[in-house]
Amino acid sequence: MSLHARLDSFLDTNGLEAVWFARPNNFTWLTGGDNVVDASAPVGVAAAGYDGDGVTVVTDNIEAPRLRDEELAAGVDVETFQWYEGGLGDAVADVSPTPAAADFDVPGFETLSPTDLRQPLTDEQIEQYRTLSADVAEAVETVAGEVSPTDTERDVAAELRRALSVRNTGAPVVLVGGGERAPKYRHYTPKDAELGSYALLSVTAHRNGLYTSCTRTIAFDAPEWFADRTEAAMRVEATALAATQAVGTDGGAASEVFEAVQSAYDAVGWDGEWRNHHQGGAAGFAGREWFGTPSADEAVVLPQAYAWNPTVQGAKSEDTTLVTEGDVETLSTTGEWPTEVVQAVGYDFELARHAPLRR
């Protein structure tokens, strides 16, 4: 179903005349353009609305020329207000038919959470995802292949951000954990500590509104437990993906996938380890469209990207994967990194996972 067809259905079901998006990922989902000037702001400098006939963008006189020239497709109407005459919400309220809903504060409008609208992925979005994810994997693997035990986590993180930036990719999450800190913390925010015996490099990066997550591991002189824990994490990830395909094909809920994740941890000898870190979930126009939990009732939709990220104290396995009824395709891959085929728990399913690079 096309984006406009989804929105037509949403308007009809909810008795609305229009729907508006100003949060950057949602604006990009509808228009393909970028409404960000201040990356720290939750709402961009323009709002995109759909009323059943087409898309209208509202922005101020500062941004309108640039958005028309560089961010919006031909034929998108742009309504302009003077920057000194009020805010974006008031301007949208002035031009929109009502009743309406928005993903930001607009006087008199209903509040909209568009996660369900953004799923499943369209064919065009899937192709964008393949390109983005390959670029992200290339950036991470390029940096990972050059690091040394005496490099600090902060220095490696800086190189990751640079490598992603030159590939026109933003990086809201860059984590680097060395042999001292990675076993202690699940979110190894970079410090001045040297990498030491091994390192985990984890990123969540975005372009065109889509988000990709991946982790790569480098082993220099890794601890004795390292290989077993890494394989355990890889098997849990494979199980999560096998369950995602099965549950999504049957039209089930995220909690059913999470039940398989819990069972996998038990089977690989780490019962209850899932309690120590979130396990990931659906990806798309957010780092995670939803997170898997024991009670998660979100629908498992196909075709959709998923980024499951199981950890086993000091080890992690994570990629962004396209799951359809007929295939499980790793998106964040270059084909140049070592892999290991692992068996899912409880499913007749094997999958090649990115293994540690031994240096």
Side-chain angles (χ1 to χ4, degrees), residues 10 19-21 23 26 101-104 110-119 289:
F10 178 82
V19 60
W20 290 85
F21 305 98
R23 296 185 180 274
N26 300 329
D103 70 348
F104 71 116
E110 296 180 19
T111 301
L112 165 69
S113 179
T115 299
D116 290 343
L117 282 170
R118 298 193 301 237
Q119 301 176 79
E289 294 282 11

Side-chain angles (χ1 to χ4, degrees), residues 17-223:
E17 294 297 322
V19 60
W20 290 85
F21 305 98
R23 296 185 180 274
N25 51 346
N26 300 329
F27 182 92
T28 300
W29 172 76
L30 180 57
T31 69
D34 186 352
N35 70 343
V36 174
V37 170
D38 178 357
S40 68
V43 173
V45 296
Y50 179 78
D51 62 2
D53 293 325
V55 176
T56 298
V57 168
V58 173
T59 190
D60 63 32
N61 62 299
I62 302 171
E63 307 300 336
R66 178 179 62 83
L67 294 180
R68 284 194 185 97
D69 291 345
E70 298 181 345
E71 299 294 344
L72 300 175
V76 173
D77 292 331
V78 179
E79 296 284 346
T80 304
F81 66 96
Q82 299 300 306
W83 67 264
Y84 51 84
E85 292 183 345
L88 183 61
D90 290 333
V92 167
D94 287 342
V95 304
S96 177
T98 56
D103 70 348
F104 71 116
D105 187 19
V106 179
F109 283 24
E110 296 180 19
T111 301
L112 165 69
S113 179
T115 299
D116 290 343
L117 282 170
R118 298 193 301 237
Q119 301 176 79
L121 297 170
T122 67
D123 290 343
E124 180 181 3
Q125 290 163 357
I126 288 170
E127 288 307 312
Q128 290 177 324
Y129 232 137
R130 288 189 174 111
T131 303
L132 164 66
S133 299
D135 285 348
V136 171
E138 181 185 55
V140 175
E141 292 176 10
T142 297
V143 173
E146 297 173 352
V147 298
S148 70
T150 57
D151 289 334
T152 68
E153 294 171 351
R154 279 198 171 121
D155 286 344
V156 174
E159 287 301 310
L160 284 170
R161 292 187 185 280
R162 185 200 64 79
L164 291 164
S165 179
V166 298
R167 291 168 174 81
N168 190 31
T169 304
V173 179
V174 174
L175 304 177
V176 179
E180 178 185 352
R181 296 181 65 249
K184 296 180 180 179
Y185 311 113
R186 306 297 164 133
H187 286 150
Y188 26 88
T189 54
K191 301 298 182 185
D192 285 329
E194 292 185 353
L195 298 183
S197 60
Y198 79 100
L200 299 177
L201 278 58
S202 301
V203 305
T204 295
H206 66 87
R207 186 171 66 215
N208 296 325
L210 295 167
Y211 286 73
T212 283
S213 298
C214 76
T215 293
R216 295 293 182 267
T217 306
I218 310 98
F220 303 110
D221 185 20

Side-chain angles (χ1 to χ4, degrees), residues 247-311:
V247 172
T249 299
D250 291 342
S255 59
E256 299 174 63
V257 178
F258 203 81
E259 183 177 353
V261 169
Q262 292 171 298
S263 297
Y265 271 110
D266 188 9
V268 298
W270 287 85
D271 186 20
E273 180 72 357
W274 59 270
R275 292 185 174 90
N276 296 317
H277 187 233
H278 76 76
Q279 302 300 303
F285 283 83
R288 299 294 187 272
E289 294 282 11
W290 49 256
F291 288 91
T293 68
S295 59
D297 61 1
E298 290 87 353
V300 178
V301 175
L302 306 179
Q304 186 65 32
Y306 288 87
W308 296 102
N309 51 259
T311 60

Side-chain angles (χ1 to χ4, degrees), residues 304-340:
Q304 186 65 32
Y306 288 87
W308 296 102
N309 51 259
T311 60
V312 175
Q313 189 179 6
K316 183 177 184 179
S317 185
E318 176 186 34
D319 274 301
T320 300
T321 304
L322 176 68
V323 182
T324 69
E325 291 190 16
D327 195 18
V328 175
E329 175 190 350
T330 303
L331 298 176
S332 52
T333 188
T334 64
E336 301 298 324
W337 194 265
T339 60
E340 178 182 341

